[in-house]
Amino acid sequence: MKLIVFDGLDGCGKDTQAKIVYEHYAKQGKNVVLRSHPSKDNFFGRQSKAALERTGKVNKALATVFFGADAIRSVIKYSHKKDIDILIFSRYVLAVMYLPSSIKEPVYKFVCKVLPVSKYMFFLDISPEVSLKRIRSRNEKEEMFENKEAMIECRQKAESVLYNWNVINADGTPDEIAAEISSILED
């Protein structure tokens, strides 16, 4: 099974790129599963999303814990199925960028030892300004990390754990981003 992961700040195009890759492999007749976290189809994902739409330290912790449980649930449910050719996760182990700086790296290293990782993990690196423009164009309820200060902080926290990721500039168009991802997947 090929594991493909997309992560990055909100508005970077994770779900868009995951869908493009999903459709590409599905057209080839591959059995593809796409999981976007936080998921809407289970308790943990719904609780994570609800906490993200509130504010405060408690909700920040709840969002992270429930997100982790949601992602682990997806790993347990799908990563060992023999009939799946491609498993795509939109948002996965980089939720650690929402943790306090003092514990993010040890937690990240632990999570990467426990959960499957892949050479096809993509961090879609977007500037906070472009991200906010995309988010605001959706007309959705703003989440706690969807402001410039939080994005700058999360992006800086992510930088120290991206040593096993393919970093893609996500300020461009979806087609430009997809072309760069495709070149790595086909390599």
Side-chain angles (χ1 to χ4, degrees):
M1 175 188 310
K2 181 185 248 184
L3 173 64
I4 303 171
V5 175
F6 295 97
D7 221 320
L9 297 177
D10 290 347
C12 69
K14 297 176 291 291
D15 288 330
T16 299
Q17 295 304 318
K19 288 174 187 169
I20 290 169
V21 170
Y22 174 91
E23 290 169 2
H24 170 76
Y25 284 114
K27 285 179 186 172
Q28 294 178 3
K30 304 281 187 194
N31 185 6
V32 187
V33 172
L34 169 58
R35 296 294 296 164
S36 182
H37 303 104
S39 309
K40 296 176 183 175
D41 65 356
N42 71 82
F43 172 80
F44 300 118
R46 289 188 300 272
Q47 292 302 310
S48 179
K49 180 69 172 171
L52 284 168
E53 291 177 344
R54 297 187 295 261
T55 59
K57 289 182 181 182
V58 170
N59 285 308
K60 192 177 195 180
L62 287 172
T64 304
V65 169
F66 282 122
F67 177 91
D70 184 30
I72 290 168
R73 179 187 175 276
S74 289
V75 167
I76 291 168
K77 187 169 183 179
Y78 297 102
S79 68
H80 301 294
K81 290 194 174 191
K82 302 257 187 249
D83 63 329
I84 297 174
D85 300 310
I86 312 288
L87 178 58
I88 303 170
F89 285 155
S90 175
R91 294 174 205 87
Y92 188 44
V93 295
L94 282 185
V96 299
M97 69 181 150
Y98 303 122
L99 295 173
S101 294
S102 60
I103 64 169
K104 74 171 168 40
E105 282 191 64
V107 170
Y108 178 76
K109 288 177 181 178
F110 173 76
V111 167
C112 287
K113 287 183 192 243
V114 175
L115 298 178
V117 293
S118 164
K119 66 180 183 176
Y120 302 113
M121 297 193 320
F122 298 94
F123 180 77
L124 305 182
D125 189 24
I126 190 169
S127 66
E129 295 78 14
V130 173
S131 176
L132 287 170
K133 183 178 177 183
R134 290 181 187 171
I135 290 167
R136 291 182 178 137
S137 73
R138 296 185 212 159
N139 294 318
E140 296 175 353
K141 185 174 182 180
E142 191 172 289
E143 296 177 359
M144 71 171 72
F145 297 107
E146 294 179 341
N147 61 72
K148 189 172 182 177
E149 296 78 26
M151 289 184 167
I152 290 169
E153 180 183 354
C154 289
R155 191 176 184 206
Q156 289 171 340
K157 285 181 180 181
E159 287 175 352
S160 67
V161 296
L162 293 176
Y163 46 82
N164 56 342
W165 288 77
N166 297 288
V167 179
I168 307 291
N169 181 340
D171 282 346
T173 68
D175 288 340
E176 292 168 338
I177 299 164
E180 190 170 348
I181 290 167
S182 179
S183 71
I184 294 168
L185 289 173
E186 301 303 320
D187 189 20

